[in-house]
Amino acid sequence: MKRILVMGAAGQIGSELVPALRAVYGVDSVVAADLCALSAMPDSLRVGPCEQIDILDIPKTVSVIKKYNIDTIYNLVALLSSVGETKPQLSWDINLGGLMNLLEISREHKLALFTPSSIGAFGPSTPPDNTPQDTIQRPTSMYGVTKVAGELLADYYHQKYGVDARGVRFPGIISNVTLPGGGTTDYAVQIYYDAIKKGSFVSNIGAGTYMDMMYMPDATRAAIEVMEADPAKLIHRNCFNVAAMSFDPEEIAASVKKAIPNFAMSYDVDEVRQAIANSWPNKMDDSAARDEWGWKHEYNLEKTTADMLSVLKQRYQ
Ligand code: SER
């Protein structure tokens, strides 16, 4: 049975990955760690072990690993793409400095390490349609620079030191527990909240901008399954394209409108986010993940919209 430490547990992915991991491996086997004070941790995480850790604090991280006899780390700590453009140094320090610390700790203590990469690891010279697993990257956002460097570093630690480092390139993640912050794909979460609360939404991403997206239950399952995959079958390790759906603002608005006929969307495009979105793929080819470890998404746009609206309707109406 794994003994897992989740770094960045109170964020958008962590707040749902921790309960998903605890459902598989047991509540006491999954330690939720975040920069925030323990009192600020969501109640849903405080049903099991929790620790306050700054990813840049190596001695504290090591002491928690020893305290709980950890053998696997999920590293979800990152500044997202839009905020990264205003804080490049912090983005580098946290996204890459944090990963470097965890790779070194994993090497020394023989741990397995999951770190997500992203569609942000691609750039304007990447083929935008059916983006291959192995292709030109050259991102133009600071976030993307840290993600490509992270993919390479994790591969390096695997090849050179045998660290069991694995990861996926996540699309934009749609979820309803914790809001994302400072990302380019955030609009595809906010649209559901605003549809329920206000009946209308102002998109900061323009019509015709296609990006890969994934519903959280698929995302948490991908993170668990790639770490459970038979290593003998893995040709790639740290950056599997994983896809589920691709749409533009018009298509997600149309799917909301089917359930809420009076819903209306307008545009106020954010230049920074739009430039980032334009540099990312329209739709990734995830056949390597499907072939090497059996990845298969369950939620398309229709199913995602139905579930998001039903959860948020119950909560807010
Ligand atoms: N959701 C992230 C962002 O928009 C991409 O991985 O920054």
Side-chain angles (χ1 to χ4, degrees):
M1 193 58 106
K2 289 186 197 295
R3 307 270 312 160
I4 298 170
L5 173 63
V6 179
M7 301 287 280
Q12 185 200 10
I13 298 178
S15 58
E16 296 196 56
L17 181 61
V18 168
L21 288 166
R22 284 177 174 163
V24 175
Y25 302 108
V27 171
D28 294 335
S29 301
V30 180
V31 181
D34 204 280
L35 183 60
C36 70
L38 291 183
S39 56
M41 280 263 194
D43 289 343
S44 55
L45 301 189
R46 287 201 277 169
V47 296
C50 289
E51 294 282 343
Q52 182 178 17
I53 306 180
D54 178 343
I55 195 166
L56 300 181
D57 184 344
I58 297 174
K60 176 73 195 266
T61 309
V62 170
S63 79
V64 170
I65 284 165
K66 287 186 176 158
K67 178 175 168 188
Y68 295 95
N69 207 12
I70 296 297
D71 56 42
T72 302
I73 302 176
Y74 278 78
N75 170 30
L76 305 174
V77 177
L79 260 61
L80 291 184
S81 58
S82 167
V83 72
E85 295 306 283
T86 58
K87 296 178 180 162
Q89 175 79 59
L90 188 65
S91 177
W92 178 267
D93 291 347
I94 300 290
N95 294 13
L96 216 54
L99 173 60
M100 186 66 191
N101 289 349
L102 296 183
L103 282 165
E104 265 299 305
I105 290 170
S106 299
R107 177 175 75 85
E108 209 168 311
H109 297 270
K110 305 208 179 325
L111 312 179
L113 175 63
F114 172 89
T115 298
S117 185
S118 157
I119 50 174
F122 295 115
S125 49
T126 300
D129 296 308
N130 293 319
T131 303
Q133 174 66 42
D134 302 307
T135 187
I136 300 166
Q137 297 195 247
R138 305 200 67 78
T140 46
S141 69
M142 188 63 197
Y143 177 72
V145 169
T146 67
K147 286 299 178 189
V148 173
E151 290 181 6
L152 294 172
L153 258 184
D155 273 343
Y156 174 82
Y157 268 77
H158 171 64
Q159 284 154 12
K160 181 94 179 179
Y161 300 113
V163 173
D164 188 5
R166 306 184 191 186
V168 296
R169 290 185 185 125
F170 273 138
I173 308 290
I174 298 172
S175 64
N176 54 50
V177 173
T178 304
L179 284 169
T184 300
T185 57
D186 298 4
Y187 92 91
V189 180
Q190 196 63 44
I191 189 172
Y192 294 111
Y193 281 77
D194 285 8
I196 292 294
K197 289 180 171 178
K198 303 194 249 179
S200 65
F201 175 64
V202 181
S203 176
N204 57 22
I205 295 292
T209 311
Y210 281 80
M211 287 184 275
D212 278 294
M213 302 281 176
M214 181 176 284
Y215 197 33
M216 186 62 92
D218 276 339
T220 53
R221 196 167 48 76
I224 293 171
E225 285 179 6
V226 74
M227 293 307 284
E228 285 290 345
D230 177 356
K233 294 196 177 136
L234 297 184
I235 300 163
H236 301 86
R237 291 194 72 96
N238 285 297
C239 45
F240 284 99
N241 289 358
V242 286
M245 58 188 130
S246 165
F247 53 75
D248 83 324
E250 291 290 312
E251 288 178 17
I252 187 173
S255 89
V256 171
K257 220 169 153 53
K258 270 192 206 158
I260 307 173
N262 291 333
F263 173 73
M265 186 173 74
S266 57
Y267 290 95
D268 182 12
V269 170
D270 175 289
E271 273 178 34
V272 172
R273 285 185 167 88
Q274 186 64 47
I276 294 172
N278 289 345
S279 76
W280 289 355
N282 299 330
K283 190 179 189 315
M284 291 186 290
D285 171 5
D286 63 356
S287 48
R290 290 177 190 263
D291 293 346
E292 291 176 41
W293 50 277
W295 163 246
K296 195 172 184 325
H297 73 278
E298 280 176 13
Y299 286 85
N300 59 14
L301 177 56
E302 200 186 349
K303 229 173 136 184
T304 301
T305 296
D307 201 58
M308 282 294 286
L309 292 179
S310 117
V311 170
L312 296 177
K313 203 181 262 177
Q314 267 189 4
R315 191 179 307 158
Y316 295 113
Q317 285 186 348

